[in-house]
Amino acid sequence: MVASPIMSGRSWLIVQLDAMHRSRGGDWYYRTFAPGRALAALSGVYVVNVDQAHRKLPQLLEQADVLVMNGVCSPDLLPVLHQRKQARRPSVFEINDDVQAIQKSNPLAGFFAQAENLRLFRRLALSSDAVQYSVPELQRIYGWLNQRGRVFLNQIVAPPPLRTPPQSDQVTVGWGGSAGHLEDMLEVAPALMAFVQAHPNVTLHLMCSDKIWGLFDELPAERKRRTPVGSIDDYYGFVSQLDIGLAPNRDAGFNRARSDVKFLECAAFGAVAVVQRLAPYLDSVNHGENGFLFDSTLELISVLERLVADPAERQRVRTNAHAYVTSERIQAQHAAERLAFYAELLPEPSTTSDPAQLFTELATLEGAERSDDVERYVMLGHSRYEALLHDGLVLLQDGNQRERGESLLRQAVQLEPLHALPELFLGVQLDSEAELRAALLKNPRSVQATLALGSHYLERGQSMPALERFLAAAELAPGYEMPFAYAARAMQKLGAMNEATEFERLAQAMAGSVAQPGPATGG
């Protein structure tokens, strides 16, 4: 039997890294926050949640016994992964969306429409010690990238007791979700409005974006209710007021790899779930017992007719659904499975670090959030520096507020003069040599800054300095194709066509190592 941190009696530190954000939506809650707290409740485990903006991130990337990366797609992680492998500190890449098939209404659609970003996403999975997935379908799609993988389904933290339904013939039918579901709701909106208008005792409740709410303009105001989009607790409060909860998902690539969380939320908070007959729900929804599946809009309306007419049927199904969640899908019940997977990757935690001491230091930082019930968990929230960094980048990318964004980032530089990110963002967005050189001085391993500085030189006819930067980036991230693709352009400018051809061949070969096999496309 291989010794594991669980059996060794030593403490160990798990760091969960998210992309830079200031939101606390469902994806963050189910994939980072809730699993982190459940892990930290296990003996000897310290968990730190952090995002890319945080000033302590470099230290955490170096000292974490296990690093879990969720939704982070940055070339600057490639040298980090290499260094961590040398130090025998495992890194796990999480895939919880099929980014190759992302829908146009998703805010990330533009980023992953660029082939080089898709390749980088796959390369990070390939370069990590293991990959974890939110659903089996994602492991089927991406499992070829890394032979070490595990599926960890979304779970519910603490479902309340099943509420007693009100003694009324009024029925609330509802849906809540992100703007990325625009196409899904567009498909069912006409039939759903017709159904509500035909049943005076039914009211449609929506928690949604303006565009999705606009799909239901033709429904009279007294037959619909809107709840503003809010926190996960706001969403749970919304679902708990529903009699019937809907999850229409078109049979499209991105939807086939979603999780079954909408069913779980309905089941946990007392709404009967009526969901699309797609892969996410087939293993958890037992049709007619703990929820309902539908193939077409016609079948959706048929199920709604049945449920609205039969309160006893609604009560039977919601009781079964709640029992399923409480017996099978509670987060704390599955924490040990996740820890055991990490223990396989980390046979023996480091003896040169002290997780308890580092955790204590981090927990006292400005912006750190702890809770009384889980003492070894901390979320490193944003202080003024991280807020300036996040907001400055967002505004700098907005054509109408670039000056304001630049000002915020320069304030961030003053607050944390040793950190490279503010000047990296300024250098990339403003194409500024001074800021890019400053960023590299502070973080010489930044692949992004190195490539950006090389591109800056190349665009100004300085082909030899550009080539030097591209080759430096290739040393920082072995196997990454972009430095060689850029180097080929520099060689062309220098008139060295044979060398340019060789660099292009190398770039194509490296890109081929992360090319999606089979019929799937996307770079």
Side-chain angles (χ1 to χ4, degrees):
M1 182 178 295
V2 177
S4 77
I6 301 173
M7 294 181 284
S8 70
R10 292 202 186 106
S11 297
W12 52 320
L13 177 69
I14 299 173
V15 171
Q16 298 185 132
L17 172 63
D18 286 302
M20 186 169 62
H21 70 98
R22 295 188 71 183
S23 62
R24 298 186 179 182
D27 181 71
W28 167 83
Y29 181 86
Y30 288 111
R31 303 310 304 173
T32 299
F33 178 71
R37 284 171 51 86
L39 284 166
L42 300 175
S43 177
V45 179
Y46 293 84
V47 178
V48 177
N49 283 0
V50 65
D51 75 27
Q52 278 181 292
H54 203 275
R55 58 201 182 280
K56 291 295 183 180
L57 181 59
Q59 182 181 9
L60 289 169
L61 293 177
E62 180 180 342
Q63 297 189 27
D65 290 307
V66 177
L67 172 66
V68 182
M69 299 160 286
N70 179 3
V72 185
C73 191
S74 167
D76 285 357
L77 282 175
L78 293 172
V80 171
L81 296 177
H82 180 69
Q83 182 185 45
R84 288 182 57 80
K85 281 190 175 182
Q86 289 182 322
R88 301 186 66 186
R89 295 177 183 267
S91 308
V92 181
F93 191 72
E94 165 148 337
I95 298 179
N96 55 48
D97 277 322
D98 184 6
V99 297
Q100 297 169 164
I102 200 163
Q103 71 277 54
K104 292 182 180 179
S105 55
N106 191 303
L108 292 175
F111 180 83
F112 285 110
Q114 301 177 52
E116 66 182 74
N117 291 335
L118 270 181
R119 292 196 302 268
L120 176 59
F121 178 87
R122 298 184 195 127
R123 185 163 300 284
L124 289 167
L126 177 70
S127 303
S128 298
D129 295 283
V131 180
Q132 64 187 42
Y133 307 89
S134 56
V135 293
E137 178 69 4
L138 288 171
Q139 187 173 32
R140 185 191 69 79
I141 296 170
Y142 293 99
W144 62 276
L145 285 167
N146 197 311
Q147 64 179 357
R148 304 191 76 166
R150 198 67 52 86
V151 175
F152 298 116
L153 300 176
N154 284 342
Q155 312 291 345
I156 294 294
V157 174
L162 191 63
R163 61 182 170 84
T164 302
Q167 298 298 312
S168 170
D169 64 349
Q170 296 299 307
V171 179
T172 58
V173 176
W175 176 89
S178 67
H181 285 278
L182 177 63
E183 293 90 348
D184 301 324
M185 294 302 289
L186 177 62
E187 193 166 281
V188 301
L192 197 52
M193 284 190 290
F195 171 80
V196 172
Q197 288 184 301
H199 295 78
N201 64 327
V202 174
T203 305
L204 180 65
H205 288 233
L206 296 171
M207 187 177 190
C208 62
S209 66
D210 290 341
K211 286 186 177 181
I212 291 178
W213 180 250
L215 298 177
F216 297 88
D217 281 347
E218 295 180 12
L219 193 63
E222 66 273 12
R223 307 303 309 281
K224 59 187 177 183
R225 301 287 184 275
R226 184 182 184 185
T227 299
V229 175
S231 68
I232 189 71
D233 288 331
D234 294 331
Y235 178 73
Y236 285 162
F238 167 78
V239 175
S240 68
Q241 301 304 310
L242 302 179
D243 295 302
I244 302 168
L246 307 178
N249 294 328
R250 294 168 305 116
D251 188 7
F254 188 84
N255 283 346
R256 296 186 195 108
R258 288 186 185 274
S259 79
D260 65 347
V261 72
K262 286 198 180 297
F263 163 68
L264 294 182
E265 292 162 341
C266 287
F269 290 89
V272 177
V274 182
V275 303
Q276 199 91 33
R277 193 185 301 272
L278 283 180
Y281 302 109
L282 297 182
D283 290 334
S284 51
V285 178
N286 185 357
H287 182 71
E289 294 299 321
N290 63 1
F292 291 88
L293 301 164
F294 67 90
D295 286 308
S296 63
T297 303
L298 185 63
E299 189 174 0
L300 165 64
I301 299 304
S302 175
V303 171
L304 291 179
E305 292 277 5
R306 171 182 172 182
L307 290 173
V308 167
D310 193 342
E313 175 76 342
R314 297 199 302 270
Q315 181 63 15
R316 179 185 68 83
V317 173
R318 64 198 289 272
T319 300
N320 291 340
H322 192 268
Y324 165 76
V325 169
T326 55
S327 64
E328 303 289 337
R329 301 296 295 276
I330 301 299
Q331 186 72 65
Q333 299 169 351
H334 299 276
E337 300 169 12
R338 194 177 294 237
L339 188 61
F341 178 57
Y342 299 157
E344 294 174 15
L345 308 173
L346 181 67
E348 196 70 26
S350 172
T351 59
T352 61
S353 60
D354 186 345
Q357 180 179 345
L358 176 57
F359 181 87
T360 300
E361 294 171 3
L362 295 170
T364 61
L365 292 174
E366 179 187 357
E369 298 180 31
R370 299 186 65 182
S371 57
D372 295 334
D373 56 331
V374 184
E375 63 176 337
R376 291 184 302 278
Y377 169 85
V378 66
M379 180 174 65
L380 300 183
H382 286 187
S383 68
R384 184 164 179 262
Y385 165 75
E386 289 85 15
L388 287 169
L389 193 62
H390 174 277
D391 295 349
L393 179 60
V394 171
L395 294 174
L396 195 58
Q397 292 172 329
D398 183 337
N400 297 321
Q401 303 192 65
R402 288 178 64 83
E403 289 186 7
R404 174 62 175 159
E406 181 180 348
S407 173
L408 295 183
L409 288 173
R410 296 199 185 282
Q411 292 178 51
V413 173
Q414 296 301 313
L415 277 178
E416 294 286 348
L418 298 180
H419 286 265
L421 277 184
E423 282 155 318
L424 172 62
F425 293 163
L426 285 166
V428 170
Q429 295 298 319
L430 301 178
D431 191 21
S432 168
E433 178 182 358
E435 266 81 21
L436 289 172
R437 291 177 68 88
L440 276 173
L441 187 64
K442 297 173 183 180
N443 180 15
R445 296 193 304 156
S446 174
V447 178
Q448 186 177 4
T450 305
L451 290 176
L453 186 56
S455 296
H456 174 89
Y457 290 146
L458 190 62
E459 290 173 4
R460 287 156 179 79
Q462 299 173 269
S463 301
M464 187 56 71
L467 179 62
E468 292 172 356
R469 292 297 179 178
F470 298 145
L471 295 181
E475 290 185 12
L476 289 170
Y480 183 37
E481 73 277 2
M482 293 310 297
F484 292 98
Y486 286 124
R489 292 171 51 196
M491 282 298 188
Q492 289 174 352
K493 297 285 187 181
L494 290 167
M497 304 311 294
N498 290 339
E499 291 83 351
T501 300
E502 180 62 17
F503 278 136
E504 183 61 33
R505 185 192 66 79
L506 285 171
Q508 290 178 1
M510 292 174 182
S513 68
V514 289
Q516 177 70 28
T521 59

